[in-house]
């Protein structure tokens, strides 16, 4: 049981091909899955606690991140693999089809889930998926991505993050950036960061959804954009996805990780979207 949560949490492990997935359940009611990549279950806990008042909330660490160990740490984590993991988790819980809120790389996982396993999910809220393949300047975006990944793998962590933020068009104040590296970094955080740069980031950013399959499928797709994300790359990619699907984007309060920064301010909008 997670002693830091405001509500009772049952944590367990599910064995899946190539990985052992850590997952957590809280609350009762309709099933909602909150998923990130590389964001893990602990970072969704405050939002999950708020939703667990009247939902069964499932959170998980994606394969290779935090407590979800993989057999081959040098293998990539693709959206298709993570979609299969989520389908197995939903089936294992046995609470019926789920609504899924996925953010960033987790939104890519959620879209891949709806595409490959629609029998497990009735609604996907894809919050700011970084699908650069949907942009007209995708070739330049790929070059920039390859550059900052190579910078990270060369050992220049600070330089890689500066390039990443510049590509994402995220203006992080110097004081906030310096604080990221001001103290001894947690070894697990460093390991998760390395896995993301080396094995998760590119497969997620380069994944191209089958728009026709998503439009024709039974899953309701909502594309979410933060009100404070205007001009950022995930605003552009989410807008492009909504346009390809023929739907209007749905606005959420805050920025890319508003559900972490202000879960109490975020949850009313998420509830309204899930209930609509």
């Amino acid at each position: 049981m997670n002693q830091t949560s405001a509500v009772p949490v049952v944590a367990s492990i599910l064995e899946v091909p190539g990985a052992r997935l850590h997952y957590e359940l809280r609350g009762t009611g309709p099933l909602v899955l909150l998923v990130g990549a590389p964001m893990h279950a602990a970072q969704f806990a405050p939002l999950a606690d708020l939703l667990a008042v009247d939902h069964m909330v499932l959170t998980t660490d994606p394969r290779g991140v935090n407590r979800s160990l993989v057999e081959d740490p040098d293998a990539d984590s693709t959206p298709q693999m993570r979609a299969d993991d989520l389908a197995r988790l939903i089936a294992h819980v046995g609470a019926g089809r789920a609504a899924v809120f996925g953010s960033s790389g987790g939104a890519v996982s959620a879209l891949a889930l709806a595409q490959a396993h629609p029998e497990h999910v009735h609604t996907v809220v894809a919050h700011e998926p970084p699908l650069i393949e949907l942009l007209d300047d995708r070739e330049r975006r790929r070059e920039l991505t390859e550059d900052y990944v190579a910078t990270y793998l060369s050992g220049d962590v600070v330089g890689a993050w500066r390039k990443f933020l510049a590509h994402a068009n995220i203006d992080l104040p110097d004081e906030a950036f310096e604080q990221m590296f001001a103290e001894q970094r947690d070894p697990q955080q460093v390991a998760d960061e390395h896995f993301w740069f080396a094995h998760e980031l590119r497969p997620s950013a380069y994944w191209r959804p089958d728009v026709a399959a998503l439009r024709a499928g039974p899953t309701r797709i909502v594309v979410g954009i933060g009100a404070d994300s205007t001009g950022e790359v995930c605003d552009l990619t989410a807008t492009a996805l909504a346009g390809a699907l023929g739907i209007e984007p749905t606005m959420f309060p805050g920025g890319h990780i508003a559900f972490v920064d202000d879960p109490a301010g975020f949850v009313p909008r998420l509830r309204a979207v899930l209930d609509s």
Side-chain angles (χ1 to χ4, degrees):
M1 186 163 300
N2 184 351
Q3 299 299 324
T4 64
S5 176
V7 299
V9 179
V10 177
S12 191
I13 295 291
L14 179 66
E15 301 274 355
V16 299
R20 301 178 73 248
L21 300 179
H22 172 92
Y23 72 93
E24 298 174 4
L25 280 173
R26 45 169 63 74
T28 58
L31 180 62
V32 176
L33 169 60
L34 307 178
V35 61
M39 192 169 283
H40 53 78
Q43 294 159 317
F44 282 98
L47 179 63
D49 285 351
L50 294 170
L51 284 173
V53 172
D54 53 4
H55 288 82
M56 178 184 291
V57 185
L58 170 62
T59 56
T60 184
D61 297 351
R63 61 169 53 223
V65 173
N66 205 274
R67 296 155 291 187
S68 287
L69 305 180
V70 288
E71 293 176 1
D72 182 1
D74 295 322
D76 284 350
S77 168
T78 67
Q80 295 92 329
M81 294 166 67
R82 298 196 303 272
D84 289 346
D85 291 344
L86 297 179
R88 288 185 171 90
L89 278 169
I90 293 169
H92 176 70
V93 168
R97 296 173 76 204
V100 182
F101 172 80
S103 186
S104 195
V108 180
S109 304
L111 291 166
L113 171 66
Q115 187 172 300
H117 304 284
E119 70 278 9
H120 289 299
V121 55
H122 62 78
T123 299
V124 161
V125 182
H127 185 260
E128 301 199 358
L131 297 170
I132 62 173
E133 290 298 304
L134 299 180
L135 301 179
D136 291 338
D137 62 348
R138 63 184 70 88
E139 292 185 7
R140 182 179 72 88
R141 299 282 182 183
R142 281 192 226 110
E143 291 174 358
L144 292 170
T145 302
E146 293 297 328
D147 178 55
Y148 65 69
V149 169
T151 299
Y152 182 88
L153 295 178
S154 75
D156 184 2
V157 176
V158 173
W161 275 109
R162 288 195 182 280
K163 289 180 177 181
F164 170 80
L165 292 170
H167 173 224
N169 201 24
I170 296 175
D171 183 17
L172 191 67
D174 287 341
E175 292 180 1
F177 185 84
E178 291 168 3
Q179 186 63 34
M180 291 171 59
F181 303 97
E183 301 177 356
Q184 183 72 26
R185 303 181 75 204
D186 177 73
Q188 185 63 61
Q189 180 186 3
V190 172
D192 292 347
E193 175 189 85
H194 183 274
F195 186 83
W196 178 63
F197 270 104
H199 299 299
E200 187 179 85
L201 190 157
R202 286 176 291 184
S204 297
Y206 298 167
W207 186 73
R208 192 178 186 101
D210 185 337
V211 172
L214 290 174
R215 292 184 67 163
T219 304
R220 171 187 171 226
I221 307 293
V222 177
V223 178
I225 302 176
D228 296 340
S229 299
T230 302
E232 296 178 4
V233 70
C234 284
D235 172 27
L236 304 179
T237 54
T239 299
L241 174 63
L245 292 171
I247 60 177
E248 289 295 321
T250 297
M251 301 308 296
F252 283 82
H256 191 59
I257 56 169
F259 54 93
V260 175
D261 295 334
D262 182 17
F266 191 88
V267 75
R269 181 57 171 156
L270 179 56
R271 283 185 177 279
V273 170
L274 292 175
D275 293 342
S276 65

